[in-house]
Amino acid sequence: KKQKKKNYDIISDLTGSDAKFRHNIENDGTKTIIEMSADGNCLFRSLSDQLYWDYGNKHEDIRSEVCDFMEAHEEEFSVFLVLNDEDEDA
């Protein structure tokens, strides 16, 4: 009978998978993984780093530009927003 994995076993597996993934990415020396702060801005920090090579320092500017673009093209993005009947339309 197969035993069910405990949470710490699953976390250990994920940690091992992450380490293997990172090793495979960085192994040949042509790529580097740059850690971003996990503060709710990581997507915008990552975009900032890719666009400006600034380790995410312009994340506030990127967030503002992305939000402005989405607001200006609301019809295109509204298909990705699912509201319940009782939710207010933003």
Side-chain angles (χ1 to χ4, degrees):
K1 185 176 178 181
K2 192 173 183 179
Q3 288 185 335
K4 185 177 179 182
K5 286 189 174 189
K6 298 190 185 314
N7 285 341
Y8 58 82
D9 290 333
I10 294 169
I11 291 170
S12 177
D13 288 349
L14 291 174
T15 303
S17 296
D18 183 62
K20 184 177 179 181
F21 172 76
R22 289 170 180 271
H23 174 76
N24 289 340
I25 292 291
E26 297 183 321
N27 192 35
D28 67 0
T30 62
K31 298 171 204 75
T32 302
I33 295 174
I34 298 174
E35 297 293 330
M36 295 291 142
S37 297
D39 62 356
N41 293 305
C42 55
L43 170 66
F44 302 104
R45 287 182 189 280
S46 297
L47 289 170
S48 176
D49 181 64
Q50 290 298 298
L51 293 170
Y52 300 110
W53 296 17
D54 68 347
Y55 298 96
N57 291 324
K58 294 184 180 180
H59 69 90
E60 291 174 346
D61 296 337
I62 297 293
R63 179 186 287 273
S64 178
E65 289 179 38
V66 168
C67 290
D68 289 347
F69 182 86
M70 291 177 75
E71 285 179 354
H73 299 89
E74 185 176 348
E75 290 118 22
E76 295 176 47
F77 291 97
S78 65
V79 296
F80 300 105
L81 181 63
V82 178
L83 296 174
N84 294 327
D85 291 337
E86 62 272 359
D87 291 339
E88 287 186 30
D89 198 6

